[in-house]
Amino acid sequence: MTVYSGPVFEMAANQFNVIANYLEIPMDERDRLLMPKRAVTVSCPIHRDDGTTAVFEGYRVQHHLTLGPTKGGTRFAPTVDIGEVAALAIWMSWKCALAGLPYGGAKGGVNVDLSKISRRELEALSRRYMQEMIPFVGPHTDVMAPDMGTNEQVMAWFMDTYSMYQGQTVTEIVTGKPVSSGGTLGRREATGRGVAHLAKRVMKELSINLSGSTAVVQGFGNVGSYAALDLHHFGLKVIAVSDHTGALFDERGLDIPALMRHAATHGSIAGFSNQLQFDPAQILTLPCEVLVPAALERVIDAGVAEKLRCRVLAEGANGPTTPDADLVLEKRQDEVFLIPDILCNSGGVVVSYFEWVQDLQQLFWEEEEVTRREYQILDRAFDQMLVRARADKVPHRTAAMAIGVEKVRAAKNTRGLFP
Ligand code: NAD
C-alpha cells in the first residue's frame, strides 16, 4: 500500500513487473526504478463567478530525474487522483527513454469537472495551479505540457504565470503553447499525426491497402481528431468516432474536416448529425482495419480484447489496454497488430522536446522539419521495438517497455546511488 495505490497505478506497477521479470532485474533494484522520485499535492483556491471561493486539489508527480528534467502533461478531469498521475508519469519515463529523449517522466493534474466552471474560472485555476507549482518546476527541472482537458490556451496561462514571477519571459517552462507565444509549428498535430503515421507503417508492413480501408477513433480531442484527419488524408474511411457526448457512424466514411470544424465551434461532436448517431459502447468492437482508442485509460479489458475486430490497434490514449487484455492480445497477435501507447502516442512528447529545444535556442524550425524529424524518431523506435519483439518472441508492449526500462536502468546504474 502506498500513497499512489489505486487501479491505474496498480496497472503501471503490474506492467513494470512483467518487464522486470523478463529483464531479470533483481528485486532490490525494482523499487528504485518504479517508485516516483517526487510527488506534490496542492490546494488551488479560486474566486468563483458568484463571489464564493472554491478549492481544487492539484498534483504533480516527477518519476525520475536521472536523464535530465522531467517532462509530462497536465490533466484537468474529475477522475484525476495522485495514483493516476503517478502511473501516467511512469509511462512517460518509458516513453521518453524509448524515443531517446533526455527526460524522465512527469505528469500533473487537477481534479475538476470542466463542464462546471467558466472560462474565467478556468484561467484562475490554471494560473493558481502553476503558481503553486513554481517551487517544484523549471526549464531544467520539470517541463509541463497539455493532456486531457488542457490545451494551448492553458499552456499560455501557465507560461505567463511562471514568467511574471521570474520577471522575464520563460517560454521553455511549458510545451504545447500557441505558436504566437513560443510554441512550435506542428505540436498541435504531433500526437495524432504520429499515431496515423505509425498505423500507416504497420498497414504497409501487413500489405493492407490504405485506400478503402476503414478506421474507428474513440475520443475526438487533440489526439483523436488529428489522427482521424491524417488517416482520412491517407485514403482510409473513418467510419466511426466517439467522444464524451456520444458516437457517430457512417459506413461511407465520415467527413472528418467538417467534423473537426464542428467540434472546434461546439466543443464536441454533439449536434453534427442526427442520422449518423451510434451506440458508443459498440465503437471499440466494430470491424475495421485501424482502431484508435484516443480517450480514456482501461477501456479495452479482457472481454473487449476478445471481441476486437481491428487489424491494427493504434493506442493514441495512455493506458487504454489493461494487463488482462494484454494476455488476450498476446494470443491474438497474428490477428491484431498492437502499436503500444508508449510508442504510438510518443509523437506528442517528441515534438514537445523540439519545442523546448527551439525555445532554449530561440531558433525556430519550419513545420516540414518538425514533422520530418518526428517521423524519423518514431520510425527508429518502431524498428527497435519490432526487432526486439521478433528476436525475443515477446509482445510489442513488452519489447517497447523493455527498451525504455533498460535505458533508465543503465543510466541509474552508471550514475550510481548518491551519496
Ligand atoms: P482531449 O481533452 O483533447 O480529448 C479527449 C477526448 O476524449 C475528448 O474528445 C472527449 O470528449 C473524449 N472522451 C472523454 N470521455 C470519453 C468517453 N467516455 N468516451 C469517448 N470519448 C471520451 O485529450 P487528448 O489530449 O486528446 O488526450 C487523449 C488521450 O491521449 C489521453 O489518454 C492522453 O493522456 C493521451 N495523450 C495525449 C497527448 C497530447 O499531446 N495531447 C500525448 C500523448 C498521449
Side-chain angles (χ1 to χ4, degrees), residues 75-76 88 92 95 107 114 145-151 187-188 190-192 218-225 242-246 267-269 280 283 293-297 299 315-320 341 345-349 352:
R75 179 172 285 195
F76 283 6
L88 290 161
M92 274 303 286
K95 186 187 300 186
K107 209 77 178 188
L114 292 178
D147 190 72
M148 249 168 75
T150 57
N151 56 19
R187 174 62 185 89
R188 185 184 300 169
T191 312
Q218 182 192 49
F220 204 67
N222 176 272
V223 180
S225 65
S242 69
D243 72 2
H244 66 285
T245 64
S268 73
I269 63 173
I283 191 157
L296 308 171
E297 53 271 350
V299 289
E315 293 182 337
N318 285 309
D341 52 0
N345 67 33
S346 64
V349 70
S352 273

Side-chain angles (χ1 to χ4, degrees), residues 93-407:
S93 285
W94 316 143
K95 186 187 300 186
C96 291
L98 174 66
L101 309 181
Y103 291 139
K107 209 77 178 188
V110 176
N111 191 298
V112 54
D113 184 345
L114 292 178
S115 67
K116 299 206 171 100
I117 65 170
S118 69
R119 183 182 157 89
R120 192 207 61 77
E121 291 168 340
L122 175 62
E123 176 172 354
L125 180 57
S126 303
R127 289 185 179 281
R128 186 63 193 231
Y129 173 76
M130 176 46 112
Q131 189 253 319
E132 297 290 348
M133 286 295 156
I134 287 175
F136 310 105
V137 299
H140 295 284
T141 315
D142 183 8
V143 182
M144 294 185 184
D147 190 72
M148 249 168 75
T150 57
N151 56 19
E152 290 177 15
Q153 178 60 73
V154 173
M155 295 307 112
W157 289 327
F158 281 180
M159 187 275 277
D160 182 68
T161 303
Y162 187 87
S163 298
M164 287 297 122
Y165 277 86
Q166 299 301 318
Q168 58 182 315
T169 298
V170 189
T171 51
E172 60 272 26
I173 184 61
V174 295
T175 61
K177 300 177 295 294
V179 173
S180 58
S181 302
T184 181
L185 295 166
R187 174 62 185 89
R188 185 184 300 169
E189 300 84 357
T191 312
R193 189 175 265 173
V195 170
H197 173 76
L198 289 172
K200 181 167 112 177
R201 254 209 79 168
V202 172
M203 290 178 77
K204 201 171 158 206
E205 195 87 25
L206 300 176
S207 307
I208 303 171
N209 276 336
L210 298 175
S211 172
S213 283
T214 54
V216 170
V217 181
Q218 182 192 49
F220 204 67
N222 176 272
V223 180
S225 65
Y226 282 104
L229 186 67
D230 272 14
L231 291 169
H232 170 84
H233 286 150
F234 295 157
L236 282 86
K237 290 188 285 184
V238 181
I239 55 170
V241 304
S242 69
D243 72 2
H244 66 285
T245 64
L248 298 168
F249 174 83
D250 186 346
E251 63 184 1
R252 295 164 304 168
L254 293 157
D255 183 345
I256 297 298
L259 189 54
M260 281 182 80
R261 286 192 296 276
H262 176 90
T265 315
H266 299 92
S268 73
I269 63 173
F272 181 71
S273 160
N274 286 336
Q275 290 87 48
L276 302 178
Q277 290 209 26
F278 184 70
D279 176 6
Q282 312 266 333
I283 191 157
L284 294 171
T285 49
L286 280 169
C288 60
E289 270 71 37
V290 179
L291 173 65
V292 182
L296 308 171
E297 53 271 350
R298 295 186 299 124
V299 289
I300 302 176
D301 58 18
V304 175
E306 295 279 6
K307 290 193 225 136
L308 289 180
R309 284 184 286 169
C310 58
R311 198 62 197 83
V312 182
L313 174 57
E315 293 182 337
N318 285 309
T321 306
T322 65
D324 284 355
D326 272 335
L327 297 176
V328 175
L329 291 177
E330 197 175 334
K331 287 194 213 111
R332 298 190 62 198
Q333 54 188 306
D334 291 339
E335 299 160 62
V336 178
F337 190 111
L338 170 71
I339 316 176
D341 52 0
I342 64 162
L343 167 64
C344 195
N345 67 33
S346 64
V349 70
V350 167
V351 176
S352 273
Y353 164 61
F354 297 158
E355 181 174 335
W356 180 70
V357 167
Q358 291 171 75
D359 284 341
L360 287 170
Q361 298 185 341
Q362 290 296 299
L363 179 67
F364 291 89
W365 309 347
E366 298 298 330
E367 184 164 351
E368 182 275 330
E369 182 171 7
V370 171
T371 308
R372 181 177 56 75
R373 286 177 181 246
E374 175 187 350
Y375 290 166
Q376 203 173 29
I377 291 181
L378 293 181
D379 285 337
R380 186 183 61 201
F382 180 85
D383 290 340
Q384 288 173 350
M385 177 198 75
L386 214 53
V387 166
R388 180 68 171 260
R390 286 179 179 159
D392 285 7
K393 297 195 173 36
V394 290
H396 295 162
R397 191 184 317 283
T398 305
M401 284 183 63
I403 296 167
V405 170
E406 272 173 346
K407 287 190 186 171

